[in-house]
Amino acid sequence: EPEVTQTPSHQVTQMGQEVILRCVPISNHLYFYWYRQILGQKVEFLVSFYNNEISEKSEIFDDQFSVERPDGSNFTLKIRSTKLEDSAMYFCASQDPDSHQPQHFGDGTRLSIL
Amino acid sequence: ILNVEQSPQSLHVQEGDSTNFTCSFPSSNFYALHWYRWETAKSPEALFVMTLNGDEKKKGRISATLNTKEGYSYLYIKGSQPEDSATYLCAFGPNNNDMRFGAGTRLTVKP
């Protein structure tokens, strides 16, 4: 069965540095999402992406964050000037273009900011 | 603000017990409600997509109901087994692009 893959599985970065988290969605999916889960807290929606542009974004997704689909297969989340509080699991998900389909999640990237 | 509430936060049951938990969401502008099962160290796995008021879905021993008018969905597990231990997440969306998750119910089934 097709899967959403995320790399790296664990990223350790110094505070203030920029990180790029990568996701390869399922190939025929057209909706893409990023979520994060801070340790011990709930899964939080960051952003959704469709037709090469952001569809929705949460209050968390400020100017520090950006997403792009550079080559038609990868879907990336860039976090600039990382802060300690950005440490979390980041999940990518993709969704079939037909309405009312579930999202398919990757295994996540654990981001640790030192 | 899309507030999705799940209760209880955690639940411990004995093997063989039946159990249920609740997802509450804003009753206006409903598009869909998703239930996911999330095991530790794995990614969330879709259980159900619910779209119509009165929907009832079933997969094996797990079933779910939906009331969009009052803004809640119940997830039921009949005859719980240790392998059912996981966090059960619901996600509500007023449209396809903006699904918001609840905090989850962590279920532990003791043998």
Side-chain angles (χ1 to χ4, degrees):
Chain A
E1 186 174 319
E3 290 181 341
V4 175
T5 57
Q6 289 186 242
T7 54
S9 57
H10 190 189
Q11 173 81 43
V12 181
T13 300
Q14 291 288 328
M15 186 171 60
Q17 297 296 305
E18 175 182 285
V19 294
I20 297 176
L21 309 183
R22 290 185 166 78
C23 171
V24 179
I26 294 173
S27 62
N28 65 327
H29 286 187
L30 296 181
Y31 293 96
F32 313 112
Y33 307 84
W34 281 103
Y35 297 89
R36 77 174 184 191
Q37 189 200 25
I38 296 170
L39 186 64
Q41 298 184 24
K42 68 181 200 179
V43 175
E44 298 173 295
F45 168 77
L46 292 177
V47 66
S48 61
F49 191 86
Y50 171 70
N51 202 26
N52 285 320
E53 60 183 23
I54 290 174
S55 302
E56 298 280 350
K57 59 182 181 178
S58 72
E59 52 277 2
I60 301 168
F61 194 89
D62 60 19
D63 292 342
Q64 188 193 1
F65 296 88
S66 61
V67 290
E68 70 176 350
R69 195 147 190 257
D71 57 12
S73 64
N74 288 286
F75 177 52
T76 62
L77 175 69
K78 183 188 288 186
I79 310 175
R80 289 177 281 274
S81 302
T82 50
K83 300 173 283 204
L84 295 177
E85 52 265 38
D86 295 326
S87 297
M89 280 290 288
Y90 288 81
F91 289 97
C92 168
S94 70
Q95 190 175 20
D96 190 283
D98 287 345
S99 63
H100 299 305
Q101 294 297 313
Q103 296 177 20
H104 295 257
F105 285 79
D107 287 339
T109 292
R110 180 175 299 281
L111 177 63
S112 300
I113 306 299
L114 304 180
Chain B
I1 295 177
L2 300 176
N3 216 21
V4 181
E5 301 286 341
Q6 288 190 248
S7 62
Q9 188 175 18
S10 65
L11 198 52
H12 296 253
V13 302
Q14 289 294 133
E15 182 175 355
D17 287 351
S18 293
T19 186
N20 67 85
F21 21 93
T22 307
C23 174
S24 302
F25 52 87
S27 56
S28 57
N29 293 329
F30 179 86
Y31 179 79
L33 185 113
H34 297 183
W35 280 101
Y36 293 87
R37 181 173 179 275
W38 192 11
E39 290 183 68
T40 303
K42 296 186 179 180
S43 55
E45 173 196 350
L47 289 174
F48 304 115
V49 174
M50 311 191 76
T51 58
L52 298 174
N53 186 43
D55 254 357
E56 291 188 27
K57 302 260 174 136
K58 187 174 181 184
K59 186 185 288 189
R61 293 178 291 99
I62 305 176
S63 59
T65 61
L66 178 66
N67 183 325
T68 60
K69 294 189 188 312
E70 296 184 35
Y72 65 83
S73 175
Y74 293 138
L75 189 79
Y76 301 90
I77 303 178
K78 186 177 176 182
S80 304
Q81 300 296 308
E83 57 264 31
D84 295 329
S85 297
T87 296
Y88 291 83
L89 295 170
C90 75
F92 158 79
N95 57 62
N96 200 38
N97 297 322
D98 191 10
M99 299 299 290
R100 303 299 178 105
F101 283 78
T105 292
R106 184 187 298 275
L107 175 67
T108 305
V109 183
K110 299 174 187 174

